[in-house]
Amino acid sequence: MENNAVSVHEYLEGILFLKVHAFSKFHWESDSSKFIEAPDNTSVFHTTYTPSFSFEFKSFFNYIIFWKYYNKNLNIFMMMNKNCRRPIEWYKKLQREPMLNLLWAGMLLVGIAYAAFTGNISLVSEAALDSAKEAVTLCISMVGVMALWTGLMHIAEETGLIAQMTKAARPIVRWLFPDIPKGHEAHEHITANMIANMLGLGWAATPSGLRAMEALGRLEEERRKTGRSRLPEAAASNEMCNFLILNISSLQLIPVTIIAYRSQYGSVNPTEIIGPVMAATACSTAAGIIYMKIRGRKRQ
Amino acid sequence: MKLLGYLSELTIPLVIFYIVGYGLLQKKQVYEYFVFGAEEGLRIVVRILPTLVGLMVGVGVLRASGFLDYIGGLLGQAAGQIGLSGELIPVIIVRMFSSSAATGLCLDIFKEFGPDSLLGRTVSIMMGCTETIFYTMSVYFMAVKVKKTRYTLQGALIATFAGVAASIFLAGKMG
């Protein structure tokens, strides 16, 4: 419940440019499941919102603006409450890469130490400043492509196109995961996750993927109880392994960000990689499917 | 290869045509939806910016120090025998751990060699057809408190290497 409120806070920050300090120390482990279980309706939002008030407004003035917006644009809030997870999931994905801490620090420290060793140290400060500047230029030129894509995807979502694609993909998922009983909720989440991945909607893929994992966890729990599974607790079920292999084999069809980067660095034809990427993705996914089918057969 | 070329040219126009056309057929306010969604794209880029600054500075420092050239030369000797470029290996390895760090290296390659060079194309395709193995596994398995991952890693590695091999092959065929 709390996390539902957090997501609204974060969104507020984007819209109103208020300094809203949401619970700054919430962790990935604690939020993944609860976040998702939170229902999408504003009546809940009302009741839980006030008691969990834990942010500071910088001034009374901001506070007034906040209430004005809040009362006036309740329908916007409703809409946001439905959509708010997407940008935030993305943000989290970028912020919470556990390996990045060491990688990044390593890059800087090794780079500087090596430069001092080889006498290139004079180049380092210039490179650091230039790279920082370049990152900003890159982002500015990326905004266009990103906005175009998310805009299109929003149309697809609102008109029910994505829902239709999800429906169309159901037989494939049934073929890939034959052991999931018919009508089990896991089907739905897996399909949603796959479609989101195909369209490059990372922020929409993560929540549905986590939901799928949870559904698969419950399924395995049931199997354990009825004695159909001999796997110990805290071990991944076949379906979990298969789902992740599929996920990691990359299903993305149009690599939007790479296209944006390519055009920024002066590619004559930035989109020429779409076809090859589709072919390469098909290869990696096919390899993953073949492997998981072989492993799945072994167990029986 | 010709077929893939057509696919590259036609995908984006077709996607746009289909989505917008479908929306109109449903008698929906497509333009409003578009604008609402586009704003979201803006926010996404704003959120990528800090990461990108951090990582591009990291890679920039590594490049300026000469360390990347050193590693590339070192790996190039070993990798040259199987027809790989030494610059590619760091990207492949880092890609398994962190998507944004790999993006930093990828951008460095675009800058040094150009996105239309063989290396630039290989990296572009590779970034598109692989995923962050260890990151994805840790996030998803942590959510359901799974400790024994069984054959996930093998499968993921097999899929990734198939993707890498395919991207090297396809990039060679392009152009």
Side-chain angles (χ1 to χ4, degrees):
Chain A
M1 244 355 87
E2 256 181 11
N3 295 295
N4 200 19
V6 169
S7 55
V8 177
H9 291 193
E10 292 246 10
Y11 219 90
L12 265 177
E13 197 165 32
I15 294 243
L16 299 175
F17 301 102
L18 288 181
K19 190 76 194 143
V20 177
H21 288 292
F23 317 90
S24 50
K25 277 184 277 174
F26 64 95
H27 294 291
W28 180 234
E29 302 101 274
S30 67
D31 92 280
S32 60
S33 49
K34 279 187 228 150
F35 207 134
I36 284 146
E37 298 302 320
D40 285 330
N41 71 51
T42 23
S43 58
V44 176
F45 161 74
H46 263 299
T47 50
T48 57
Y49 196 62
T50 336
S52 63
F53 243 85
S54 77
F55 48 82
E56 312 150 10
F57 293 106
K58 267 202 163 162
S59 65
F60 187 62
F61 182 59
N62 282 345
Y63 185 78
I64 306 248
I65 299 181
F66 166 68
W67 276 112
K68 225 169 117 192
Y69 269 87
Y70 175 57
N71 291 328
K72 220 167 141 190
N73 298 345
L74 252 182
N75 53 340
I76 293 188
F77 275 91
M78 256 143 96
M79 214 155 56
M80 267 164 20
N81 206 15
K82 196 179 87 197
N83 292 322
C84 61
R85 288 179 202 123
R86 280 180 290 153
I88 293 151
E89 283 299 331
W90 235 95
Y91 172 59
K92 270 195 211 135
K93 189 166 178 176
L94 287 167
Q95 298 285 311
R96 272 159 229 280
E97 290 195 39
M99 310 281 181
L100 209 50
N101 199 23
L102 277 178
L103 258 177
W104 186 70
M107 271 189 215
L108 284 174
L109 298 183
V110 168
I112 292 172
Y114 190 81
F117 189 65
T118 54
N120 286 335
I121 197 87
S122 57
L123 298 173
V124 166
S125 52
E126 198 189 315
L129 296 177
D130 279 351
S131 308
K133 217 189 313 177
E134 205 181 313
V136 178
T137 329
L138 182 65
C139 271
I140 290 172
S141 59
M142 228 173 88
V143 168
V145 179
M146 259 346 246
L148 173 65
W149 190 250
T150 51
L152 283 173
M153 284 304 130
H154 194 74
I155 299 178
E157 207 183 326
E158 290 288 330
T159 53
L161 194 58
I162 291 185
Q164 217 180 41
M165 284 174 76
T166 310
K167 211 185 256 174
R170 228 165 260 169
I172 303 172
V173 174
R174 225 166 275 152
W175 176 73
L176 286 172
F177 300 91
D179 290 340
I180 300 179
K182 223 175 178 181
H184 195 272
E185 53 170 336
H187 273 301
E188 193 185 319
H189 300 316
I190 291 174
T191 328
N193 174 268
M194 280 171 61
I195 294 289
N197 267 328
M198 277 182 194
L199 300 172
L201 304 167
W203 54 91
T206 311
S208 57
L210 291 174
R211 260 183 246 159
M213 286 301 272
E214 278 161 8
L216 291 176
R218 282 194 287 274
L219 180 66
E220 197 60 21
E221 192 76 12
E222 256 167 55
R223 283 183 188 158
R224 233 174 260 136
K225 270 183 201 153
T226 52
R228 261 177 301 163
S229 163
R230 276 166 291 144
L231 286 172
E233 210 145 311
S237 68
N238 272 21
E239 279 84 14
M240 287 183 192
C241 296
N242 295 350
F243 174 61
L244 273 187
I245 291 173
L246 214 60
N247 210 313
I248 291 169
S249 77
S250 170
L251 304 159
Q252 185 174 12
L253 292 176
I254 305 178
V256 191
T257 41
I258 294 291
I259 293 172
Y261 294 145
R262 284 171 60 83
S263 78
Q264 168 65 10
Y265 283 98
S267 169
V268 183
N269 187 356
T271 57
E272 69 177 350
I273 54 145
I274 294 179
V277 164
M278 285 181 183
T281 302
C283 282
S284 65
T285 307
I289 290 175
I290 290 169
Y291 182 78
M292 71 188 225
K293 283 282 173 192
I294 291 171
R295 283 304 296 245
R297 200 166 292 168
K298 240 187 215 170
R299 187 192 174 194
Q300 293 156 359
Chain B
M1 270 332 273
K2 236 181 191 167
L3 182 76
L4 291 185
Y6 287 135
L7 208 58
S8 304
E9 277 171 30
L10 288 178
T11 303
I12 287 185
L14 275 182
V15 166
I16 296 177
F17 188 86
Y18 188 69
I19 290 178
V20 175
Y22 184 87
L24 268 191
L25 278 182
Q26 305 272 307
K27 299 202 177 62
K28 294 276 170 71
Q29 296 294 319
V30 265
Y31 180 68
E32 256 167 52
Y33 291 148
F34 177 79
V35 173
F36 187 89
E39 196 196 317
E40 211 168 273
L42 210 113
R43 213 166 289 140
I44 288 168
V45 176
V46 169
R47 281 184 167 152
I48 299 176
L49 178 63
T51 331
L52 220 51
V53 170
L55 284 154
M56 284 183 78
V57 168
V59 177
V61 167
L62 266 190
R63 165 68 62 192
S65 71
F67 188 75
L68 274 185
D69 293 327
Y70 171 72
I71 287 283
L74 209 65
L75 291 171
Q77 286 170 351
Q81 287 162 358
I82 44 171
L84 277 178
S85 163
E87 302 280 341
L88 204 59
I89 297 191
V91 189
I92 299 175
I93 295 169
V94 168
R95 177 72 180 148
M96 294 177 194
F97 294 94
S98 155
S99 157
S100 19
T103 304
L105 286 173
C106 162
L107 292 174
D108 180 68
I109 285 177
F110 285 172
K111 204 161 59 183
E112 291 290 310
F113 303 92
D116 290 334
S117 63
L118 177 65
L119 197 56
R121 280 173 175 158
T122 314
V123 171
S124 311
I125 302 173
M126 211 188 74
M127 292 289 289
C129 74
T130 50
E131 263 283 351
T132 344
I133 300 182
F134 295 101
Y135 171 67
T136 313
M137 276 177 63
S138 70
V139 166
Y140 280 159
F141 279 139
M142 213 149 77
V144 284
K145 301 194 179 64
V146 163
K147 298 226 167 60
K148 275 194 183 148
T149 60
R150 294 177 61 219
Y151 61 87
T152 314
L153 185 61
Q154 286 109 291
L157 283 173
I158 286 174
T160 301
F161 281 114
V164 170
S167 45
I168 292 167
F169 174 77
L170 288 166
K173 291 270 177 184
M174 278 168 79

